[in-house]
Amino acid sequence: MPLPLPKPRSGRPRTRIQPSTPVLREPPSRTYSFDPQAARSAWRQVAKTRGARGMRLDGRDDGNRLAPLALGLAALVAAALWWGGGDDAPAPTPSAKTQVQPKAAAVAVGPSQPTAAPAPDPTFDALAPTPRAAIPPTTVDHRSTPREPLPVPTTQARKATPPGTSPNNALALRKLPHSVKDRGPVGGVGSKAMHVDRINMGTQYDAGSCVGPVGKFSVRDDDIAHVCFRVVHHRVEQQVQVRWERDGRLVRRAFVHVGASHGYRTRAGLRLRRSYRGSWTVRVISPDGVELASHAFQILD
């Protein structure tokens, strides 16, 4: 709840406050008599009168203005002397005392006679090299040169479409990039050009491959039967189905993830039991139901 303000007393005198006049400080007196603006104006005037190069701070002339004149005068004198003393002056006529007698022809002493120098060929100066424009360009008859057939690239052989492949999957396989490590499909071709180019089995898994017995597994000596395969496809994540069949009947099924890489190595395993004795086949199925690869094996005691 706000409190009421006190009421002013009517009998209390009010004091008026008059503003006081501010005291202004006197401007500081100049402690130097040098005026930079006046000095600049005086320097410009002197430079216009005597020239900026000939003006010195001490008022003396540096004496360099006579050097260009002396150099120019010396150059004119040298040019006049060279022009007057050229090589076109007539040679002095030799006097009787200074005339040189012609040398007598040398006579060879001995049985051999000196061979005469070959006479110059009068047509030597008339010979000239044939201009390049007059030389006709060399022509090659392409019809007579047989062309060798181009070698068939290995990618076409490695991308051979298996029989029974759908047109869409075959087109995707042809457009799939090729790697030097790729091989041909061991089975069918699924969606997005998915196919398996390697498959093997073993009892151990090491560095992406299966090692150990391949076709026959013993329940006493072995624990798990591994199947390793390499899936080649476009760089998308997919999933394949691994079916373990005994005598044509489905016993176990597993779904294996395939990463988004060109060639993806993966595996699946089946634990061996005494009740599993018999002939088996492991199959790799694509998401659209195409059998990509298969491997047969046996489980013994």
Side-chain angles (χ1 to χ4, degrees), residues 121-171:
D121 189 359
T123 61
F124 181 80
D125 297 336
L127 296 177
T130 306
R132 299 182 62 90
I135 302 176
T138 58
T139 58
V140 180
D141 189 2
H142 298 281
R143 295 175 298 179
S144 60
T145 305
R147 294 186 178 180
E148 298 181 358
L150 298 177
V152 179
T154 57
T155 56
Q156 299 295 335
R158 296 185 180 183
K159 290 185 179 181
T161 306
T165 306
S166 64
N168 295 336
N169 296 350
L171 179 61

Side-chain angles (χ1 to χ4, degrees), residues 26-111:
E26 296 182 358
S29 59
R30 307 181 80 177
T31 58
Y32 58 90
S33 59
F34 178 75
D35 189 0
Q37 189 66 24
R40 294 191 188 95
S41 301
W43 177 259
R44 294 192 186 97
Q45 186 65 25
V46 173
K48 290 180 181 179
T49 304
R50 301 187 57 184
R53 295 183 178 180
M55 184 60 189
R56 294 172 58 94
L57 297 178
D58 53 359
R60 295 181 299 175
D61 193 355
D62 55 358
N64 293 333
R65 291 182 296 176
L66 298 179
L69 297 178
L71 184 59
L73 183 59
L76 292 176
V77 172
L81 293 177
W82 175 79
W83 185 265
D87 296 337
D88 297 338
T93 305
S95 59
K97 296 182 180 181
T98 59
Q99 286 184 356
V100 179
Q101 299 295 333
K103 295 183 179 180
V107 178
V109 179

Side-chain angles (χ1 to χ4, degrees), residues 3 24 37 54 73 94 133 156 182-183 200 224 230 234 268 299:
L3 299 177
L24 301 179
Q37 189 66 24
L73 183 59
Q156 299 295 335
D182 294 347
R183 299 178 183 177
N200 62 338
I224 300 177
R230 181 175 183 265
H234 286 286
I299 298 179

Side-chain angles (χ1 to χ4, degrees), residues 97-286:
K97 296 182 180 181
T98 59
Q99 286 184 356
V100 179
Q101 299 295 333
K103 295 183 179 180
V107 178
V109 179
S112 61
Q113 298 294 333
T115 59
D121 189 359
T123 61
F124 181 80
D125 297 336
L127 296 177
T130 306
R132 299 182 62 90
I135 302 176
T138 58
T139 58
V140 180
D141 189 2
H142 298 281
R143 295 175 298 179
S144 60
T145 305
R147 294 186 178 180
E148 298 181 358
L150 298 177
V152 179
T154 57
T155 56
Q156 299 295 335
R158 296 185 180 183
K159 290 185 179 181
T161 306
T165 306
S166 64
N168 295 336
N169 296 350
L171 179 61
L173 179 63
R174 287 194 296 268
K175 293 183 178 180
L176 182 68
H178 175 72
S179 173
V180 294
K181 298 181 180 180
D182 294 347
R183 299 178 183 177
V186 298
V189 179
S191 60
K192 296 181 177 57
M194 173 182 285
H195 62 278
V196 175
D197 63 346
R198 293 179 181 88
I199 184 171
N200 62 338
M201 296 191 67
T203 56
Q204 297 179 0
Y205 180 76
D206 184 19
S209 61
C210 296
V211 295
V214 178
K216 297 181 180 181
F217 302 97
S218 175
V219 178
R220 298 179 182 178
D221 302 334
D222 306 324
D223 296 333
I224 300 177
H226 297 277
V227 57
C228 303
F229 52 94
R230 181 175 183 265
V231 181
V232 181
H233 65 142
H234 286 286
R235 299 177 182 274
V236 292
E237 294 186 358
Q238 300 187 69
Q239 197 175 40
V240 296
Q241 181 184 164
V242 179
R243 299 169 59 94
W244 301 90
E245 301 177 359
R246 184 182 64 173
D247 299 332
R249 297 176 55 186
L250 178 63
V251 177
R252 187 173 296 276
R253 181 178 60 177
F255 293 92
V256 180
H257 173 75
V258 178
S261 60
H262 178 76
Y264 189 83
R265 293 179 178 270
T266 184
R267 68 180 179 92
L270 176 68
R271 186 171 295 278
L272 302 180
R273 301 178 182 179
R274 292 187 179 273
S275 59
Y276 285 173
R277 291 174 295 184
S279 300
W280 288 74
T281 302
V282 56
R283 305 180 189 276
V284 181
I285 309 299
S286 66

